[in-house]
Amino acid sequence: MLLCILRNIIEKLIQYIFFSATSNPYDKLLKDIEINGRTYKYYDLSALGSKYDRLPFSIRVLLESCVRNCDNFQVLEKDVNNVLDWETNQTVEGGIEIAFKPARVILQDLTGVPAIVDFAAMREAMKGLGGNPDKINPICPADLVIDHSVQVDFSRSPEALNKNQDLEFVRNKERFQFLKWGAQSFDNMLIVPPGSGIVHQVNLEYLARVVFTNDILHPDSVVGTDSHTTMINGLGVVGWGVGGIEAEAVMLGQSISMLLPKVVGYKLVGELNPLATSTDLVLTITKHLRSLGVVGKFVEFFGPGVAALSIADRATVANMCPEFGATVAHFPVDERSLQYLVQTNRSQEKIRAIEAYLRATKQFRDYNNTEQDPIFSEIVELDLSTVVTSVSGPKRPQDRVSVSVMKKDFRDCLTNKASVGFKGYGLTPTQLSASGSFTYSDGATYTITHGSVIIAAITSCTNTSNPTVMLGAGLLAKKAVENGLSVLPYIKTSLSPGSGVVTYYLKESGVVPYLEKLGFNIVGYGCMTCIGNSGPIDDNIANTIEKNELVCCGVLSGNRNFEGRIHPNTRANYLASPLLVIAYALAGTVDIDFETQPLGKREDGSPVFLREIWPTRAEIQEVEDKHVIPGMFKEVYERIGMGSPAWRSLDVPQGKLYSWDANSTYIKKPPFFDGMTKELPPIKSIENARCLLLLGDSVTTDHISPAGSIARNSPAARYLAARGLTPREFNSYGSRRGNDAVMSRGTFANIRLVNKLSPAPGPRTTHVPSGDLMDIFDAAERYASENVPLIAIVGKDYGSGSSRDWAAKGPFLLGIRAVIAESFERIHRSNLVGMGIIPLQFLPGDSASSLGLTGTEQYSVLLPDNLRPGDLATVQVDDGRSFQVKVRFDTEVDLTYFKHGGILNYMIRKIL
């Protein structure tokens, strides 16, 4: 036992020496501060001079991290100087590279399972290469919240919650056992059991430190394997989503290599209309910033309008940051932030330390004090009073529509050509009158048409974290019921709160019976409909929709509505506030003008208009002030680590090395390290590659690696059926991310994928030499048997959407060695690099179309002999043409990862 303890101490010292500095040249800036009778130290950045006072608050966090972690090994003095000179450097052509070490990492289970699978496989690889597998441990603190596994299998009943949670454990027992093993096997990792809430809301209400109060005080900062990690910026914590692969490297003590970002100052003035919601605000900001173009930039909010926004409102805005394309959407800490910490039951001692440190380091904000306004790269402004009630859709979150014109906009979408942006379905005049009837389980016959609402879900971290819109929905439901309104029984309604606190205040305020009366029973605590875990709809409804080719709708309070994501049978999906989710459920259709058409009738036959039952912000605020109290947060989070009886009863394997079960269809040892050597492999050009896919613009990670249901006729379904599983046991792609055999077969499996090498939308492609039309996985396998490397050719914004590591891992396993795109979304480009796939970008003005590429050619990618970041490469086509592309290795670190065959291979060789 003593030897074991000594060995662990020695290894921890080795890790510390390996990853940390023996001395920090900036320790001379350390200063003492006494708080609550205790003396702390902190780095006094004001000693760096007047440049610090001009920095955006979000950049000050990057600077502090560089100063504190400067070891002239991972973080250099040059990094400190580059950040300090942000005002000059942010305009440098091509950008300035810096190193950033976040304070912690956060994961959810869909992305957390593959991360822990990779860690377990890395331990095996370390052992195989003669190293010590115990060295593979998180060094940076990591929190994992299990929230993406529960589905809406049952709804509109008091038993729905328990039934869904029971089925969640039946489906995911292997995954949950594996995660529980990981919690015990790996150091420095906290796992929050299922049923606790949505990761970003738990982060906001409980996990966020705001300031780390160790011996050296420093700001909280976080990267997460979910793109909506940005939500925590609403509380003043700088955080953003990264690829799962990149997050794993951070957990292992690596810094993030990034380009010093420009910072857009977003000035808010005025006040919200009494009838407008934070959801309307965020949809307005999303459309505005997406049109301006803020990809790769920080957005920092300032101005007197910010002071009037609650932390929940700010978090709602920050949550949608990936939808408008920025890296962060930051709200520096102010008095309201401290009030929120009091409300959420953080200790007074902790809050005093946070305030004292932030004031001492000039990181505490007064939004009404213009003298605190820093320098920004550019400034844009929004008058809050101009925000109107809105939704976004039908296919993208940035396509905001004012509710006042929603009826016309939807009808225009029906007849717009399907190729017209993301606002068209291409219906003919004859198809416009299509309808269908079906018999429902209540024995009645119902008729649906284009625009009929099939799914209405109050779901997702975006809104369920916000008491104002949640209580607003409850008050709207109360008034609706009191006026005799109801929701058609076939509409799949659901309510999935972001945490137990939400249920607590909904019950205390007395609105739950009215929500349940309209069918909005609590169905689970997790990211459900928004992630595609909407569960099945009645077969009669599905058959009617398909037979009559109806454009039916989902309305959800989420942040994503990409095609095929929510449900295969809801071709149109609209993001809306929880209040509007209920309103459209009551209407039964999105083809309605709320101003002129009633929601329904009272018993006396008089019409009920939405404006008559819509609560004002003042009404909602009165209820919120009374019922959202610190005691709720204390009671909920004191028991969060315990989990349910089902969680506590899970048997967990013992040992540092995982005992892989060859028969498991959930957890499988991945092949990423098969054949790995200690020596670096040589860099090779790609010769005579075939194009597996020729895709257009805005191909999302949902298209590349869907998280939803597994189609019964898919390669993944055939794989599972061959192992004795029935379709009801298939679960979702999201739940099977620990099994590479399923996930590689699910790559590009979205039914709405438009591949120009296939005559119709869907997961099919042409095997060029034979001309055979095949499932994409089957075509990739055939190419592999022929020893043919593969590429993909795509349009703009490739890889937008969720930060899914499998959107890079899957293509790698299919044999794709390079992606040629017009542009990449930030996180996905990083993930491709992390898997050793070369991201190549067409030069300005070039595209597959302009170059006349059909995808049927063979391509050779000739890399420069001495490859450097930003170099050009030549692509030779087998018909004699050639064109140049930019190699999107943006930093030296990118290039290093590629040389090693990926970031995890690099980490193994480094730790050996």
Side-chain angles (χ1 to χ4, degrees):
M1 176 64 74
L2 181 59
L3 287 175
C4 182
I5 294 172
L6 287 172
R7 187 192 70 179
N8 287 336
I9 292 173
I10 291 170
E11 288 180 352
K12 290 292 183 186
L13 284 171
I14 291 172
Q15 285 186 343
Y16 177 79
I17 292 168
F18 187 78
F19 286 108
S20 304
T22 53
S23 64
N24 184 330
Y26 291 98
D27 281 350
K28 59 190 176 185
L29 299 182
L30 280 172
K31 192 172 181 179
D32 290 338
I33 183 172
E34 186 171 320
I35 308 169
N36 302 317
R38 177 182 170 184
T39 300
Y40 296 89
K41 292 185 180 297
Y42 71 96
Y43 285 93
D44 181 15
L45 301 187
S46 62
L48 294 172
S50 59
K51 290 180 181 178
Y52 175 74
D53 296 341
R54 296 167 62 85
L55 292 177
F57 283 66
S58 51
I59 298 298
R60 296 179 197 188
V61 175
L62 299 186
L63 178 63
E64 193 282 339
S65 175
C66 286
V67 167
R68 178 167 39 85
N69 291 295
C70 185
D71 56 3
N72 282 318
F73 173 56
Q74 287 196 69
V75 182
L76 310 176
E77 289 181 72
K78 180 178 72 172
D79 294 312
V80 174
N81 292 327
N82 281 338
V83 179
L84 185 61
D85 289 332
W86 171 86
E87 188 175 346
T88 300
N89 288 336
Q90 51 106 9
T91 60
V92 171
E93 182 76 24
I96 297 287
E97 179 185 351
I98 63 166
F100 172 58
K101 295 192 80 169
R104 59 189 176 95
V105 175
I106 194 162
L107 315 142
Q108 38 91 336
D109 55 306
L110 291 195
T111 48
V113 166
I116 298 178
V117 165
D118 287 348
F119 267 58
M122 288 175 73
R123 281 187 171 177
E124 296 270 0
M126 281 288 289
K127 181 181 179 183
L129 292 171
N132 183 352
D134 289 356
K135 286 185 177 180
I136 304 295
N137 270 304
I139 294 172
C140 181
D143 302 318
L144 188 154
V145 181
I146 302 174
D147 72 332
H148 276 54
S149 298
V150 63
Q151 301 184 37
V152 191
D153 291 283
F154 302 94
S155 60
R156 300 191 74 146
S157 78
E159 297 81 29
L161 173 62
N162 289 333
K163 285 184 175 181
N164 287 329
Q165 289 183 338
D166 289 346
L167 191 51
E168 177 188 16
F169 265 84
V170 171
R171 285 183 176 133
N172 297 286
K173 183 177 180 181
E174 291 179 47
R175 297 171 67 248
F176 291 171
Q177 284 178 317
F178 177 70
L179 288 172
K180 200 170 180 182
W181 168 80
Q184 296 181 9
S185 177
F186 293 106
D187 300 333
N188 220 11
M189 177 178 286
L190 169 70
I191 291 185
V192 177
S196 303
I198 297 174
V199 54
H200 309 303
Q201 187 160 346
V202 174
N203 192 20
L204 190 73
E205 294 177 351
Y206 177 67
L207 295 173
R209 282 73 158 178
V210 183
V211 169
F212 272 77
T213 52
N214 305 325
D215 290 336
I216 297 180
L217 299 172
H218 60 88
D220 188 3
S221 59
V222 60
V223 292
T225 55
D226 189 295
S227 49
H228 293 103
T229 301
T230 55
M231 180 170 168
I232 202 61
N233 285 272
L235 187 55
V237 177
V238 170
W240 66 84
V242 295
I245 306 154
E246 191 175 10
E248 291 169 36
V250 174
M251 290 165 68
L252 289 165
Q254 281 290 100
S255 61
I256 287 177
S257 178
M258 60 183 289
L259 296 178
L260 192 65
K262 292 184 176 181
V263 182
V264 176
Y266 200 98
K267 187 175 184 179
L268 297 178
V269 299
E271 293 186 11
L272 282 175
N273 181 297
L275 299 179
T277 69
S278 58
T279 313
D280 304 320
L281 171 62
V282 73
L283 296 181
T284 301
I285 290 173
T286 298
K287 183 175 183 178
H288 185 197
L289 286 175
R290 179 59 79 166
S291 67
L292 289 174
V294 291
V295 172
K297 300 177 183 179
F298 284 12
V299 175
E300 184 168 305
F301 291 85
F302 74 110
V306 179
L309 297 179
S310 68
I311 299 304
D313 288 344
R314 299 176 194 179
T316 304
V317 173
N319 180 282
M320 288 283 277
C321 180
E323 280 64 53
F324 47 79
T327 304
V328 303
H330 191 60
F331 292 84
V333 173
D334 70 341
E335 287 288 352
R336 271 191 179 263
S337 311
L338 299 182
Q339 292 166 13
Y340 179 81
L341 295 175
V342 172
Q343 184 186 46
T344 52
N345 197 48
R346 268 65 167 214
S347 72
Q348 285 296 325
E349 183 179 7
K350 171 76 172 177
I351 295 169
R352 283 194 291 269
I354 290 170
E355 181 177 7
Y357 168 76
L358 293 178
R359 288 189 183 279
T361 56
K362 299 181 181 179
Q363 296 184 75
F364 194 84
R365 192 70 164 99
D366 178 355
Y367 289 101
N368 290 306
N369 182 359
T370 58
E371 292 183 1
Q372 281 192 0
D373 292 351
I375 298 298
F376 292 113
S377 307
E378 60 180 305
I379 293 176
V380 293
E381 183 172 315
L382 175 68
D383 185 342
L384 295 176
S385 66
T386 64
V387 173
V388 297
T389 309
S390 305
V391 297
S392 275
K395 302 179 184 181
R396 296 192 305 183
Q398 64 261 41
D399 294 331
R400 186 189 69 83
V401 185
S402 298
V403 169
S404 61
V405 298
M406 173 63 175
K407 182 184 180 81
K408 180 182 183 301
D409 188 84
F410 176 73
R411 290 191 172 185
D412 288 344
C413 287
L414 292 178
T415 55
N416 286 343
K417 292 181 179 179
S419 59
V420 177
F422 292 84
K423 301 284 286 187
Y425 292 97
L427 300 188
T428 65
T430 302
Q431 291 174 309
L432 281 177
S433 59
S435 65
S437 298
F438 61 90
T439 301
Y440 193 56
S441 57
D442 61 358
T445 299
Y446 298 93
T447 299
I448 54 176
T449 62
H450 299 304
S452 290
V453 173
I454 304 301
I455 292 175
I458 299 176
T459 181
S460 166
C461 46
T462 311
N463 288 286
T464 60
S465 63
N466 193 321
T468 303
V469 292
M470 294 298 288
L471 287 169
L475 292 175
L476 181 71
K478 181 175 185 292
K479 294 183 179 185
V481 171
E482 290 172 345
N483 280 273
L485 300 181
S486 62
V487 174
L488 290 165
Y490 65 79
I491 297 176
K492 188 166 189 177
T493 49
S494 60
L495 168 59
S496 48
S499 76
V501 174
V502 179
T503 302
Y504 208 131
Y505 65 64
L506 288 178
K507 286 182 176 178
E508 288 296 309
S509 62
V511 298
V512 167
Y514 302 99
L515 289 165
E516 292 178 342
K517 183 79 172 176
L518 297 182
F520 288 91
N521 299 77
I522 293 173
V523 294
Y525 294 92
C527 186
M528 300 179 78
T529 300
C530 190
I531 194 62
N533 288 352
S534 53
I537 63 172
D538 185 275
D539 285 343
N540 290 337
I541 301 175
N543 293 336
T544 302
I545 293 172
E546 293 167 9
K547 179 181 177 181
N548 297 281
E549 298 183 341
L550 298 176
V551 180
C552 290
C553 302
V555 184
L556 64 151
S557 65
N559 44 41
R560 295 273 164 81
N561 57 340
F562 302 126
E563 287 185 280
R565 178 184 177 101
I566 306 306
H567 192 280
N569 293 119
T570 57
R571 293 179 62 189
N573 294 283
Y574 288 93
L575 306 182
S577 68
L579 294 88
L580 280 176
V581 170
I582 292 178
Y584 279 111
L586 290 166
T589 180
V590 300
D591 188 16
I592 182 174
D593 180 350
F594 286 128
E595 190 61 32
T596 61
Q597 295 176 263
L599 293 171
K601 295 182 178 180
R602 299 180 180 87
E603 288 186 13
D604 62 7
S606 60
V608 182
F609 289 90
L610 180 59
R611 59 181 174 271
E612 297 179 77
I613 62 172
W614 190 273
T616 65
R617 285 179 75 87
E619 287 180 80
I620 299 167
Q621 194 62 55
E622 183 181 352
V623 176
E624 183 177 345
D625 291 343
K626 182 177 180 181
H627 295 291
V628 183
I629 57 176
M632 294 179 176
F633 293 88
K634 181 176 187 294
E635 185 170 333
V636 168
Y637 285 111
E638 274 185 343
R639 58 177 186 268
I640 193 170
M642 295 174 58
S644 66
W647 173 262
R648 294 195 295 272
S649 67
L650 282 176
D651 293 327
V652 178
Q654 301 300 309
K656 294 290 186 179
L657 293 176
Y658 187 69
S659 300
W660 305 98
D661 180 359
N663 296 317
S664 173
T665 57
Y666 280 100
I667 305 298
K668 180 177 175 290
K669 181 183 174 184
F672 305 135
F673 311 113
D674 292 353
M676 181 180 172
T677 62
K678 292 183 180 180
E679 298 76 26
L680 279 181
I683 293 180
K684 296 180 180 179
S685 294
I686 301 171
E687 297 182 1
N688 298 319
R690 288 289 186 184
C691 179
L692 184 64
L693 302 113
L694 181 62
L695 307 173
D697 297 342
S698 294
V699 172
T700 72
T701 52
D702 279 288
H703 290 109
I704 307 168
S705 183
S709 58
I710 297 173
R712 297 186 181 191
N713 60 347
S714 65
R718 294 196 294 272
Y719 171 85
L720 294 171
R723 281 146 185 81
L725 275 69
T726 62
R728 65 182 297 273
E729 297 171 304
F730 287 171
N731 210 333
S732 65
Y733 285 114
S735 68
R736 292 190 178 274
R737 286 181 176 170
N739 187 309
D740 62 272
V742 175
M743 297 307 294
S744 59
R745 287 165 172 79
T747 302
F748 296 107
N750 191 303
I751 61 172
R752 303 295 180 197
L753 181 75
V754 178
N755 174 23
K756 296 174 186 177
L757 293 177
S758 173
R764 308 271 283 171
T765 196
T766 299
H767 176 260
V768 175
S770 67
D772 292 342
L773 185 64
M774 311 173 67
D775 287 325
I776 290 170
F777 174 81
D778 295 337
E781 273 205 319
R782 185 183 290 189
Y783 281 125
S785 70
E786 299 164 349
N787 294 315
V788 175
L790 299 173
I791 64 169
I793 301 177
V794 301
K796 300 181 182 70
D797 298 328
Y798 181 68
S800 57
S802 304
S803 54
R804 293 185 184 160
D805 56 337
W806 268 109
K809 289 177 177 176
F812 173 81
L813 293 178
L814 291 183
I816 292 175
R817 293 296 170 257
V819 175
I820 308 177
E822 291 182 59
S823 64
F824 294 91
E825 198 77 357
R826 176 185 62 84
I827 298 173
H828 187 62
R829 186 206 63 85
S830 175
N831 267 345
L832 291 175
V833 172
M835 284 307 299
I837 295 175
I838 308 173
L840 303 170
Q841 190 160 321
F842 286 111
L843 297 185
D846 284 355
S847 66
S849 177
S850 70
L851 295 171
L853 304 178
T854 65
T856 59
E857 307 91 348
Q858 283 189 286
Y859 306 86
S860 294
V861 180
L862 307 181
L863 298 173
D865 291 335
N866 185 25
L867 185 61
R868 308 300 303 164
D871 275 355
L872 300 182
T874 299
V875 179
Q876 290 184 345
V877 187
D878 63 348
D879 59 12
R881 293 178 294 158
S882 66
F883 58 94
Q884 286 197 306
V885 291
K886 183 176 182 179
V887 184
R888 285 295 310 278
F889 296 136
D890 293 350
T891 65
E892 288 289 347
V893 174
D894 282 349
L895 190 53
T896 299
Y897 292 158
F898 172 69
K899 289 177 179 178
H900 281 264
I903 192 170
L904 301 183
N905 307 65
Y906 166 76
M907 288 305 304
I908 290 172
R909 290 191 180 98
K910 184 172 181 178
I911 295 172
L912 267 174

